[in-house]
Amino acid sequence: QVQLVESGGGLVQPGGSLRLSCAASGTIFSMNTMGWYRQAPGKERELVATTTSGDNTNYADSGKGRFTISRDNAKNTVYLQMNSLKPEDTAVYYCYAQLRVRAWSALTNYWGQGTVVTVSS
């Protein structure tokens, strides 16, 4: 099976920084898009950032200029550098990956279990 495991969340003061990591493991023939979504209490899950296999990036307006997404294809790992954090960034952050487990398999979406980010003084 394929698993996505996030790490790097925690408690940080407003204006601080965090770096989230997500490592994909299991049978993976090819990795396509990877990204990060987040869900705050009482709100719907929303896109934070994505990065394609060609390293094209896309950011939600909420994190634009503060967040940076990157990936290490050799490790099947995606990162999210979060700077100038605000209380409204508080949420559970979920890793996303679109991949093929075999060359003949269809593209399939996978989700991590989430890592909690709390921005508070």
Side-chain angles (χ1 to χ4, degrees):
Q1 78 284 11
V2 174
Q3 283 190 305
L4 305 180
V5 180
E6 302 101 330
S7 63
L11 175 64
V12 65
Q13 293 183 337
S17 298
L18 283 175
R19 184 171 183 258
L20 307 183
S21 299
C22 172
S25 62
T27 302
I28 302 173
F29 174 77
S30 63
M31 184 71 73
N32 194 21
T33 300
M34 302 188 78
W36 293 92
Y37 291 70
R38 69 186 184 186
Q39 187 169 21
K43 299 181 180 179
E44 294 185 342
R45 188 174 299 188
E46 64 179 12
L47 180 143
V48 178
T50 59
T51 176
T52 69
S53 59
D55 290 335
N56 293 317
T57 58
N58 181 51
Y59 296 91
D61 289 339
S62 59
K64 198 170 298 182
R66 301 185 297 122
F67 296 174
T68 302
I69 190 169
S70 61
R71 62 195 288 168
D72 185 336
N73 291 324
K75 298 179 179 180
N76 283 327
T77 299
V78 63
Y79 306 93
L80 184 68
Q81 179 67 46
M82 309 168 68
N83 299 326
S84 302
L85 284 163
K86 306 173 181 179
E88 50 262 47
D89 295 318
T90 296
V92 179
Y93 284 70
Y94 294 92
C95 179
Y96 162 81
Q98 184 185 64
L99 55 87
R100 298 181 192 271
V101 298
R102 306 288 186 188
W104 54 88
S105 300
L107 286 169
T108 305
N109 299 326
Y110 292 88
W111 294 91
Q113 82 289 342
T115 185
V116 177
V117 171
T118 302
V119 184
S120 176
S121 59

